[in-house]
Amino acid sequence: MGDEKPCSPSEADPLIRPRRSYRRYQSSCVYVAIALFFITFTIVNFSISLSKDPLDPDVRERIRKDWNIELRRHEEEVLKHIEIKKRWLLEDKEHEREVEEKRKHEEEERLRLNMFWTDLTSHRCTSYATREYTARLVNVPSYYNRRVEACMATPVTIHGVEYTPKWCEDHGPNNVVGHWEVDQHQPDCAPYWTWYKDFGCISPGSGQRRIEHYLEHLPSGADWKEFCATTPASFLGMHFVGSEFCFQWNGGTYGHWVFDDASCN
């Protein structure tokens, strides 16, 4: 029809038509197809870019909806965590209430049974100004199965002050022993430092000085290392809870301190 030329040969085409003319038609079809492909690709990409344009009203509305969904999810998670925390707090309070009720019940039972201490005995000094004491808890029924708890809850009066045991030993209904370490009113357990000696700088440019003290009035049979490390000392405007280094020489106990001194630089 008209002068249009088909993109492929037909039966009406002469068999002797030159091959160059057929190839020209075929190349034209390829070029058209490539052009259509690029046009289609450009249109699709342009549409996608429009769908992602933050200035586009539809895109902004979609983003706003996504944000609202995420916000609701976050609020739900926050509410869930708040509820879990409330439940934990209630459980903790219930546990504390049960523990307190049990303690009161045991205290009432202990008082009803009239348990008390006897044979209070002082022992060796354990550390600076501290002495060990023991006593035996009596009037404990043979059926009573919370003897250690009763021991730990029963105070004893030592030098006018009430103390509860530091630990207890259960050797049977009539042999529950409490142990105390009392750090008040124990002058026999309080040695002191004497014979102050300044050894000078450790070495030239060290920036440190060494001081030595002798430990006087060490309790008989006491652990000299423990008392050396816990007997406080004060000198040159400084205070220490005990010696930094301890040693014994010729039957005596000595403490050494090493501290910064600018005059040794």
Side-chain angles (χ1 to χ4, degrees), residues 22-38:
Y22 170 75
R23 289 179 179 176
R24 184 173 65 249
Y25 299 147
Q26 191 177 37
S27 299
S28 298
C29 293
V30 171
Y31 293 149
V32 170
I34 292 174
L36 289 174
F37 171 78
F38 277 107

Side-chain angles (χ1 to χ4, degrees), residues 60-103:
R60 296 177 64 181
E61 181 64 23
R62 186 172 68 251
I63 294 174
R64 187 179 297 108
K65 289 181 179 179
D66 292 340
W67 284 352
N68 289 333
I69 292 173
E70 290 298 322
L71 179 61
R72 285 195 296 272
R73 289 177 180 173
H74 177 70
E75 291 175 346
E76 290 174 358
E77 289 295 326
V78 171
L79 292 175
K80 185 184 300 183
H81 286 300
I82 291 175
E83 290 299 323
I84 292 175
K85 186 176 181 179
K86 286 182 179 179
R87 186 168 67 251
W88 285 353
L89 290 174
L90 290 174
E91 291 176 355
D92 288 343
K93 289 182 179 179
E94 180 66 20
H95 177 69
E96 291 175 358
R97 185 183 64 80
E98 292 176 356
V99 171
E100 181 63 19
E101 289 181 354
K102 181 180 178 181
R103 187 194 65 79

Side-chain angles (χ1 to χ4, degrees), residues 5 24 30 45 55 79 101 137-138 156 197 210 253:
K5 296 180 179 181
R24 184 173 65 249
V30 171
N45 281 343
L55 298 179
L79 292 175
E101 289 181 354
L137 189 65
V138 295
V156 70
K197 186 176 182 179
R210 183 163 66 96
T253 301

Side-chain angles (χ1 to χ4, degrees), residues 102-117:
K102 181 180 178 181
R103 187 194 65 79
K104 288 182 178 180
H105 175 73
E106 292 177 353
E107 177 71 10
E108 292 172 355
E109 187 175 13
R110 181 180 62 80
L111 293 175
R112 180 178 59 82
L113 295 171
N114 193 28
M115 300 180 193
F116 59 93
W117 295 106

